[in-house]
Amino acid sequence: MALKAVNVSDVPIPNLDQLPENNPSLFSSRFNSDGMVLNVEAASFRAPKFLVIGHRGHGMNIMQSSDSRMEAIKENTIVSFNSAAKFPIDFIEFDVQVTKDDCPVIFHDDFIFSQEHGTVYEKRVTDLNLEEFLCFGPQKEAGKQGKRLLRKSKDGRILNWNVQTDDSFCTLAEAFQKVNPSLGFNIELKFDDNVVYHKDHLSRVLQVILQVVSQYAKDRPIIFSSFHPDAAQLVRKLQQTYPVFFLTNGGTQVYYDVRRNSLEEAIKVCLEGGLQGIVSEIKGVFRNPGAVPKIKEAKLSLLTYGKLNNVPEAVCMQHLMGIDGVIVDFVQEISRAVDEMIIKPLQESLKEGKEEERKAKSKVQFSQQELSFLLKLIPELIQH
């Protein structure tokens, strides 16, 4: 992997007059009256509650998984997003790329795989125009047959992308228009780890995405995030209306770009670029719990993703550690668990006037030894 460092200060700010003014509310009916607070001058972000975020909507797809929930609904589609919206979650997370003809579309993988005349072939998403992208998989037009859709697994196998409830690909604009407006969007700005992006290219792609957000966002809560440190810092420079989070594996994988290799480096990226928070692989946090108070001292928010977030006990532990929210695949199960294990007990505490007790419980700290034990225990609960 090779990433080219971009000096963000060298990139001119474009004229984005259509972008809304700094919105002091930034909250929907799913949040309480305190809303989602973004202090632009202090570059800080505060959520009013522990956030539950649907991964790629109702959950990601894993082909030939032993858990049927991973093949229930096509990920990153309108059906998946609105299915997730039926449950008491706050945001959905999805991946945005820009086609060759400058249309932001929602798709996770860098390449689309298909088969024609018995031959499997791949197409880079960003090398396709919109019409070519939309011709894969189910079609919106009645009677029209889309190209067969395959997917490459982590072990390199090419598999049929079969799900119980299918849906067609969609654009970012469609998501804004067709998804429940009370549901927040965590927009991941997707770039290929193996491509070196020039700063002019990053700027152009981000401006295209921001124009769509400007046109359709209205009062919908939005968080931007990216694994690409330069893209994350640049989108923060291009707009100050919405919070920007830096995505990291938290040291569970090693990259050429050292900024991606630890939570400590992620803190530096955020402070240097004026970002509002970090989204980390939860294993990286459990292996390095001492980073959590450092993140809080830096006035940054912390969200997590990963398989462990599908285990209710692991989610509850994160709340006690002071983590601000989780990105999950099992939307129904985890939203119910959060309600029963976190929200209802807090509400009862408030009713009984136990505000000080509630604050104390929310500040529970765990030792490295306790979290090491937890990390060994939790994987036993996960069905692979």
Side-chain angles (χ1 to χ4, degrees), residues 8 53 69 76 89 106 158 166 263 268 297 367:
V8 176
I53 303 170
R69 291 174 293 185
N76 278 336
I89 66 172
I106 300 177
I158 305 297
D166 214 339
L263 288 168
K268 293 179 184 177
E297 288 168 8
S367 69

Side-chain angles (χ1 to χ4, degrees), residues 202-335:
L202 286 177
S203 181
R204 181 182 65 79
V205 167
L206 294 175
Q207 288 178 56
V208 169
I209 294 171
L210 288 174
Q211 291 289 359
V212 172
V213 172
S214 167
Q215 184 174 355
Y216 295 103
K218 298 181 180 178
D219 293 328
R220 189 187 299 273
I222 292 173
I223 295 172
F224 289 112
S225 62
S226 183
F227 281 103
H228 196 302
D230 298 317
Q233 291 182 344
L234 183 54
V235 78
R236 170 62 178 161
K237 181 178 181 181
L238 294 175
Q239 61 81 45
Q240 294 191 339
T241 301
Y242 304 111
V244 181
F245 282 49
F246 179 50
L247 273 158
T248 177
N249 293 99
T252 59
Q253 290 178 262
V254 177
Y255 294 89
Y256 175 81
D257 189 332
V258 297
R259 295 175 296 175
R260 300 184 62 183
N261 288 340
S262 71
L263 288 168
E264 285 76 14
E265 286 294 330
I267 293 172
K268 293 179 184 177
V269 170
C270 291
L271 294 180
E272 290 171 1
L275 310 188
Q276 283 70 45
I278 294 168
V279 185
S280 174
E281 220 292 349
I282 182 52
K283 288 184 179 179
V285 177
F286 280 155
R287 292 174 183 175
N288 183 14
V292 176
K294 295 178 184 177
I295 292 169
K296 294 301 177 178
E297 288 168 8
K299 300 188 185 306
L300 299 171
S301 292
L302 177 60
L303 306 175
T304 67
Y305 70 94
K307 286 184 178 181
L308 290 179
N309 282 357
N310 294 322
V311 180
E313 292 80 1
V315 172
C316 187
M317 174 66 76
Q318 292 178 63
H319 173 256
L320 293 173
M321 291 173 66
I323 291 170
D324 298 295
V326 289
I327 299 174
V328 306
D329 293 300
F330 300 159
V331 170
Q332 180 176 0
E333 294 84 347
I334 298 302
S335 62

Side-chain angles (χ1 to χ4, degrees), residues 167-204:
D167 194 21
S168 54
F169 291 162
C170 66
T171 65
L172 178 59
E174 284 182 285
F176 276 113
Q177 294 170 302
K178 297 179 180 180
V179 175
N180 188 319
S182 70
L183 190 62
F185 283 178
N186 173 192
I187 300 174
E188 180 182 338
L189 307 166
K190 189 78 175 177
F191 296 94
D192 189 339
D193 288 343
N194 299 302
V195 173
V196 175
Y197 295 97
H198 191 272
K199 61 184 179 183
D200 292 339
H201 176 81
L202 286 177
S203 181
R204 181 182 65 79

Side-chain angles (χ1 to χ4, degrees), residues 11-47:
V11 182
I13 299 178
N15 182 8
L16 293 174
D17 293 332
Q18 291 90 348
L19 276 175
E21 294 296 321
N22 294 332
N23 188 340
S25 61
L26 286 180
F27 68 93
S28 72
S29 59
R30 291 173 183 262
F31 297 125
N32 63 25
S33 59
D34 292 334
M36 193 171 76
V37 179
L38 170 62
N39 184 333
V40 175
E41 291 184 2
S44 62
F45 165 87
R46 176 175 59 82

